[in-house]
Amino acid sequence: YLGLEHGLSPEMIYRYSRHLLLPNFGVQGQSNLLKSSILVVGAGGLGSPALLYLAACGVGRLGIVDHDVVELNNLHRQIIHAEAYIGQSKVKSAAAACRAINSSIQIVEHKEALRTSNALEIMSKYDIVVDATDNAPSRYLISDCCVVLGKPLISGAALGLEGQLTVYNHNGGPCYRCLFPTPPPTTACQRCSDSGVLGVVPGVIGCLQALEALKVASAVGEPLSGRMLLFDALSARIRIVKIRGRSLNCEACGENAAFTRQFFQNFDYEKFTQSPLSTTPLKLKL
Amino acid sequence: YLGLEHGLSPEMIYRYSRHLLLPNFGVQGQSNLLKSSILVVGAGGLGSPALLYLAACGVGRLGIVDHDVVELNNLHRQIIHAEAYIGQSKVKSAAAACRAINSSIQIVEHKEALRTSNALEIMSKYDIVVDATDNAPSRYLISDCCVVLGKPLISGAALGLEGQLTVYNHNGGPCYRCLFPTPPPTTACQRCSDSGVLGVVPGVIGCLQALEALKVASAVGEPLSGRMLLFDALSARIRIVKIRGRSLNCEACGENAAFTRQFFQNFDYEKFTQSPLSTTPLKLKL
Amino acid sequence: MQLTLEFGGGLELLCQSVKIHNVDVDQAGEEKLTMRHLLSWVRTNLIKERPEMFMKGDTVRPGVLVLVNDCDWELSGQLDTTLDDKDVVVFISTLHGG
Amino acid sequence: MQLTLEFGGGLELLCQSVKIHNVDVDQAGEEKLTMRHLLSWVRTNLIKERPEMFMKGDTVRPGVLVLVNDCDWELSGQLDTTLDDKDVVVFISTLHGG
Ligand SMILES: [Zn+2]
Ligand SMILES: [Zn+2]
């Protein structure tokens, strides 16, 4: 009774039996997962499937950060939110959905925007961070905070008919700033609310984020670190490319980096990227 | 007001605004989607995300076929089902979840196993069929029925830590029998209930099935016909390979094929594949 | 001749659960190495158990797809397909689960 | 020299929304074609609008990844990377949406 030795209850053994049967995952993988904690930043298009699969598969403690409320025009892609939650907090809605499919894990609600003032405190409580946000300043903020705290970061993005995915700051691999030391011009930073997105594209990327988070949490398989997945939905093409390693000159994780907790807390991400951490979407005229 | 011209209500324009903004999709793509009908066979690991995304994105009529009931050991991967539905019909549970996220589309419940006696009648009511089943005889049955009825088939499979995806019987491409004229030995036909499956693997494949179904329904992009996607979760590797075209000698779709409605209705798929269309899973001992 | 052979969909279980094999296949004096020759080489050198799960007669068993450089071998002549140095050959069993 | 150039993440909008370009780039007497030369060729021959969304100074703008045969050009010498016939070069803008 290997399962019981690893502290799995009979109910857990039954619930996760299809995982326990896997020779490459098994009781050890599930036990690692049940002991892990994962924070998902953003309960939108990417966060919806990532949260559902992480809750379902048995992550021990799952945190959700978001300050937004559910709107009707989210529902074409944010499948975690039901119509009944329109107007209510996304965190509350997502937490309810996660609890409904797995009441045996701990779900933590962080109903606030992630900022330099709260990020260190919130993120320090988790082993792994999933970036499911939708804007450039948040991406720098989350990556820098992961570097300061030494946490692996599962980063996904989707816009229009394309998606991207990689794992940062893991096993000596690069951080977000290693790849993108200088922020792009603001004209190159489109959001789903401005440019549109095919609903299932963040669905695919969010599922893959859950997979990578689960692999890191259970210490099974080769995470997508030092590699990046590029997804083109229209032509059904997927490339997995080799990206640079950690940069010695990186301002966040390099040899002479000055990114202390203090420096992070005083860093102005909106000024750095010249774009706001959160916006009211433009109104659509058709 | 292009949206209204295409018969979209103001509520639809708001709900699907992120789709309407897409230059490659737009009002025409959404309008095609709203007029289309898609049948998903199987409300399990593949069907869960496929159904949620197809409902969310605005398929006009969405059918669900399954004869099974929700069990606790399904929930690690079948994210459409909540604990509250354990013991109840998967179709009922899935339909309730789809209605909760999009009450403006039509959801049709088929609470029965798909068999030669009912497949023609059920499948003839839909434009596109999604194969989200878990066994070899069902895969031959569904493909043959799609050939007889001339319907495109979005076929996904997942087992262990791997997944596969392709589109059959579309635009002159091959059917399932073109690729697999002879059934494999029964010892090669493992099910998730016997061999285990990492929950998020059918999640990724099911999302990609929704994407391919949506592309065919909206007549946008290049569907994965004549190509097959091979997904290896552990190593995070994805291959998209070129497969053979329609075979002139295929017993289902070839030049001298005898697959009429009558022939289909009398075909014994369980005998052909030497395995049952549905089984009681083995009990797990750990 | 240097080849990369990959096994998937469960076929890796027949070769000690190793999915990727970088191998050097002797051309045995032939001018061109064919898939026919490679199959018998694989059966002799890599398949450690249940060979009937890999081959049936002189070809792969039903339900196995063979891909040469990401292309179905049906498009290149099946058993008569000739191989070049550094080619990648994938053997994958079709899955039925969901 | 025959090259395949691909644009993604929105950069295709700068070249008439065409993602894949099969091009023949003149080596201009040089022995080896470098990425430096290719960038200026792309800017002259393919970019139809807003070149500042593609380049800044003599390299790509911040936020653009360059991949030569599926490998980050940082690993092959950036602007000094030399190209061979039939190489595939991808220019992709990083996405921030979700
Ligand atoms: Zn760095
Ligand atoms: Zn056929």
Side-chain angles (χ1 to χ4, degrees), chain B residues 2 14 39 48 52 64 71 73 75 77 89 109-110 123 152 154 156 170 182-183 202 236-237 250 282-283:
Chain B
L2 193 56
Y14 184 54
L39 179 72
S48 286
L52 288 172
I64 316 170
E71 292 181 74
N73 63 10
L75 299 192
R77 71 184 189 282
S89 145
E109 304 181 25
H110 303 276
M123 285 170 53
I154 320 296
H170 182 54
T182 310
R237 287 170 9 113
C250 175
L282 294 170
K283 290 294 166 204

Side-chain angles (χ1 to χ4, degrees), chain B residues 174-175 177-178 250 252-254:
Chain B
C175 82
R177 273 191 203 250
C178 291
C250 175
C253 75

Side-chain angles (χ1 to χ4, degrees), chain A residues 6-282:
Chain A
H6 279 76
L8 273 68
S9 67
E11 194 199 290
M12 285 174 174
I13 291 175
Y14 183 55
R15 180 190 280 269
Y16 304 117
S17 55
R18 300 301 177 261
H19 282 172
L20 306 182
L21 281 165
L22 286 169
N24 288 317
F25 194 79
V27 176
Q28 187 61 59
Q30 189 65 44
S31 172
N32 291 346
L33 214 51
L34 288 162
K35 285 174 195 148
S36 72
S37 56
I38 301 182
L39 179 71
V40 177
V41 187
L46 297 165
S48 287
L51 284 163
L52 288 172
Y53 279 100
L54 290 173
C57 77
V59 167
R61 185 159 42 86
L62 188 57
I64 316 171
V65 191
D66 205 309
H67 71 289
D68 223 351
V69 298
V70 180
E71 291 181 75
L72 177 60
N73 62 10
N74 300 147
L75 299 193
H76 81 109
R77 69 183 189 283
Q78 301 183 15
I79 55 153
I80 205 168
H81 306 302
E83 289 175 359
Y85 279 92
I86 288 174
Q88 294 191 60
S89 144
K90 282 191 183 176
V91 165
K92 187 181 162 192
S93 166
C98 290
R99 287 192 189 103
I101 62 172
N102 195 348
S103 61
S104 69
I105 65 162
Q106 198 187 335
I107 314 277
V108 186
E109 304 181 26
H110 303 277
K111 278 184 226 171
E112 51 195 317
L114 200 72
R115 306 203 161 265
T116 49
S117 53
N118 61 10
L120 285 163
E121 198 203 330
I122 294 174
M123 285 170 52
S124 63
K125 293 176 190 150
Y126 298 87
D127 304 327
I128 298 164
V129 177
V130 174
D131 184 346
T133 63
D134 68 349
N135 61 79
S138 295
R139 293 185 180 275
Y140 280 100
L141 185 158
I142 292 167
S143 176
D144 290 346
C145 194
C146 281
V147 169
V148 169
L149 296 170
K151 311 273 184 193
L153 172 59
I154 319 295
S155 181
L159 188 79
L161 299 145
E162 289 182 65
Q164 297 171 356
L165 171 79
T166 190
V167 176
Y168 290 118
N169 202 41
H170 182 55
N171 268 346
C175 82
Y176 190 69
R177 274 190 201 254
C178 291
L179 257 78
F180 306 109
T182 311
T186 52
T187 42
C189 294
Q190 296 165 315
R191 298 181 188 221
C192 300
S193 49
D194 306 332
S195 314
V197 60
L198 192 70
V200 70
V201 175
V204 171
I205 299 295
C207 280
L208 290 167
Q209 284 183 283
L211 172 63
E212 293 305 312
L214 181 163
K215 281 159 64 180
V216 173
S218 61
V220 164
E222 301 161 48
L224 204 68
S225 166
R227 294 183 291 160
M228 184 180 280
L229 181 145
L230 307 172
F231 174 49
D232 184 355
L234 211 54
S235 62
R237 284 168 12 112
I238 298 176
R239 264 174 202 286
I240 293 167
V241 301
K242 187 167 161 48
I243 55 173
R244 68 199 73 171
R246 177 155 291 193
S247 161
L248 297 177
N249 304 317
C250 176
E251 288 188 31
C253 75
E255 282 191 324
N256 302 306
F259 247 98
T260 59
R261 285 170 179 248
Q262 188 72 51
F263 188 83
F264 169 77
Q265 280 178 313
N266 294 324
F267 197 93
D268 188 337
Y269 286 93
E270 299 194 324
K271 194 175 157 204
F272 177 61
T273 58
Q274 305 227 302
S275 57
L277 281 158
S278 60
T279 44
T280 331
L282 295 171

